[in-house]
Amino acid sequence: MNLGFLLYPGVTALDVVGPFEVLARVSGARAYFIADRVGPVEAQHRLVLHADTSFEEAPPLSVLCVPGGPGQLDCLDNPHLLRFLRAAGERAQWVTGVCTGSLVLAAAGLLNGYRATTHWRYLECLRDLGAEPVSKRIVADRNRITGAGVSAGIDLGLFVAGLLAGEKTAQSIQLQIEYDPQPPFRSGSPDVADPEILDAIHEQTQALYDRRRAQCREFNSAA
Amino acid sequence: MNLGFLLYPGVTALDVVGPFEVLARVSGARAYFIADRVGPVEAQHRLVLHADTSFEEAPPLSVLCVPGGPGQLDCLDNPHLLRFLRAAGERAQWVTGVCTGSLVLAAAGLLNGYRATTHWRYLECLRDLGAEPVSKRIVADRNRITGAGVSAGIDLGLFVAGLLAGEKTAQSIQLQIEYDPQPPFRSGSPDVADPEILDAIHEQTQALYDRRRAQCREFNSAA
């Protein structure tokens, strides 16, 4: 059971490590960290992860997982990466994306006509790329499973573990990683966050939002 | 604001990346990944993280964070590592541990007489090492903050972000990483898990548990 996690510069580490930490505990699973080339990949905030598999070397996958992050923007300008994803995704048993990783899946043509989700700030970008955005923690449509922002990868990992190995296995993994979340604040979604904090994030991310929207729209019209 | 994350072979990646992903978003924070020597460090399940700072090079830290994992056992036999932690911990503003990382903190003498927590399976090991075990998601005693198993590092990160930069900042980070957990199962703690699953984990981890208990008791008596 091969798990393939895409890595690229500027990926958000928790988008990768959340589902990895869950899915690597499924009996018989083996994780591959797949990038343009084998070697170090600098994630957001300077954490360096190691890609052990190039696109050309990647084995057939039971699970393809595409994480998000600020580097997601460059993925849409990388035909080598998108070609790999399209081919790997068409053969994979389960095609998954976390956060803005869903936008990369969509750009690779893997979410055309599928319901999907992404980070709350960027839901509209999914529509630009031919998917049907749904504001939900996990969205499953046929074999495409997508998760909301960053930390949703843990929930997604457990959901996919249940599909791969049954609910008992997923529940055992949940207990192994003591996933009994108790956030010290109640601010995890736009619905519950302090409106001032929400407004501030909207403002801080406006330039990034505009770049993403413009890129997604342009991408769509060029496809 | 320097954040220091200990790395060692066999560390559990999510123990590191959970608090990292939160704390690295605090304005002015800079993360250091600190190990015996600079270079690749193989975490549990074959993910390779890069240590960018040796013990000798580590700067004074606002937050010291010690993750757990199966490799935690070897940390207790590594006087170089324990000496570094003791010195760094005595100077750090906040001394934190996730999962069995708390046992390493305790072995370094940093939890003597402190209330602390760890992964549910290994709470008694804390007592062996001179700390007072508390079964709770996050335990704060003076400047020592410890978290329960693996995934608790995200909750711990938000708690510490609140201490470092205020609750508004922590809430903003929670919204940025969309930490609105919705586990698809209810199995994250021994209190709620299916008793059969709990028994199976007890059995699967018995050898590791016995090794940890024996090592902690011996360590304590030798100290």
Side-chain angles (χ1 to χ4, degrees):
Chain A
M1 190 186 295
N2 296 327
L3 314 172
F5 296 90
L6 182 71
L7 295 184
Y8 53 83
V11 70
T12 296
L14 186 53
D15 288 27
V16 179
V17 171
F20 159 74
E21 199 62 63
V22 172
L23 291 169
R25 290 168 195 264
V26 173
S27 177
R30 186 187 193 289
Y32 294 83
F33 298 94
I34 306 171
D36 242 323
R37 65 182 74 83
V38 170
V41 177
E42 189 172 328
Q44 193 181 9
H45 305 302
R46 303 184 58 262
L47 173 56
V48 175
L49 305 169
H50 182 76
D52 55 22
T53 306
S54 69
F55 294 153
E56 287 70 26
E57 295 160 348
L61 299 171
S62 300
V63 181
L64 168 66
C65 183
V66 178
Q72 168 270 326
L73 283 147
D74 295 324
C75 293
L76 267 60
D77 293 324
N78 184 338
H80 185 212
L81 183 151
L82 295 176
R83 264 199 312 274
F84 161 72
L85 281 186
R86 190 174 304 122
E90 279 168 0
R91 292 197 298 168
Q93 188 183 357
W94 301 103
V95 174
T96 75
V98 177
C99 195
T100 53
S102 303
L103 306 183
V104 187
L105 283 180
L110 291 164
L111 295 179
N112 276 336
Y114 285 80
R115 281 175 295 115
T117 196
T118 185
H119 191 284
W120 59 266
R121 182 70 166 110
Y122 302 103
L123 275 165
E124 283 308 307
C125 294
L126 278 175
R127 195 186 309 280
D128 297 331
L129 292 167
E132 186 189 325
V134 180
S135 176
K136 231 181 118 184
R137 191 73 175 160
I138 306 293
V139 174
D141 185 353
R142 288 155 282 174
N143 78 333
R144 313 297 209 254
I145 324 280
T146 49
V150 189
S151 62
I154 300 176
D155 296 326
L156 177 132
L158 288 168
F159 183 85
V160 175
L163 296 172
L164 284 172
E167 295 200 353
K168 291 268 180 202
T169 296
Q171 288 174 24
S172 170
I173 293 170
Q174 186 178 356
L175 186 53
Q176 289 168 45
I177 65 165
E178 203 164 350
Y179 186 47
D180 175 29
Q182 296 173 33
F185 309 104
R186 190 159 172 273
S187 181
S189 83
D191 299 337
V192 300
D194 177 335
E196 269 182 41
I197 290 173
L198 183 61
D199 285 350
I201 293 184
H202 269 283
E203 200 176 305
Q204 284 154 25
T205 56
Q206 192 60 48
L208 185 58
Y209 177 83
D210 290 341
R211 269 184 72 197
R212 279 200 162 115
R213 284 303 303 269
Q215 188 193 37
C216 289
R217 284 185 182 132
E218 197 178 315
F219 191 92
N220 198 31
S221 62
Chain B
M1 191 186 297
N2 295 327
L3 314 171
F5 296 89
L6 182 71
L7 294 185
Y8 53 83
V11 69
T12 295
L14 186 54
D15 289 28
V16 179
V17 171
F20 158 74
E21 198 64 62
V22 171
L23 291 169
R25 289 168 196 264
V26 172
S27 178
R30 187 186 192 289
Y32 294 83
F33 298 93
I34 306 171
D36 243 322
R37 66 181 74 81
V38 169
V41 177
E42 189 173 328
Q44 194 181 7
H45 307 301
R46 304 183 56 262
L47 174 55
V48 175
L49 305 169
H50 183 76
D52 56 21
T53 307
S54 68
F55 295 153
E56 287 70 24
E57 295 161 347
L61 299 171
S62 301
V63 180
L64 169 65
C65 183
V66 178
Q72 166 272 326
L73 283 147
D74 294 325
C75 293
L76 267 60
D77 294 325
N78 184 339
H80 185 212
L81 182 151
L82 295 176
R83 265 199 310 276
F84 161 72
L85 281 186
R86 190 173 305 120
E90 278 167 2
R91 292 196 297 167
Q93 189 183 357
W94 301 103
V95 175
T96 74
V98 177
C99 195
T100 53
S102 303
L103 307 183
V104 187
L105 282 180
L110 292 164
L111 295 179
N112 277 335
Y114 284 80
R115 282 175 294 114
T117 196
T118 185
H119 191 285
W120 59 268
R121 182 68 166 110
Y122 302 102
L123 276 165
E124 283 308 308
C125 295
L126 277 175
R127 196 185 310 278
D128 297 332
L129 293 167
E132 186 189 324
V134 181
S135 175
K136 230 180 118 184
R137 190 74 177 161
I138 306 293
V139 174
D141 184 353
R142 287 155 282 175
N143 77 333
R144 313 298 208 254
I145 324 279
T146 49
V150 188
S151 62
I154 301 174
D155 295 327
L156 177 133
L158 288 168
F159 183 86
V160 175
L163 296 171
L164 284 172
E167 296 202 352
K168 291 268 180 202
T169 296
Q171 288 174 23
S172 171
I173 294 170
Q174 185 178 355
L175 185 54
Q176 289 168 44
I177 64 164
E178 203 165 349
Y179 187 47
D180 173 29
Q182 297 173 32
F185 309 104
R186 192 160 171 273
S187 180
S189 84
D191 300 337
V192 300
D194 177 336
E196 269 183 41
I197 290 172
L198 183 60
D199 286 350
I201 292 183
H202 270 281
E203 201 177 301
Q204 285 154 25
T205 55
Q206 192 60 48
L208 185 59
Y209 178 82
D210 290 341
R211 271 184 72 196
R212 279 200 162 115
R213 283 305 301 270
Q215 188 193 37
C216 289
R217 283 184 182 131
E218 197 178 313
F219 191 92
N220 199 32
S221 62

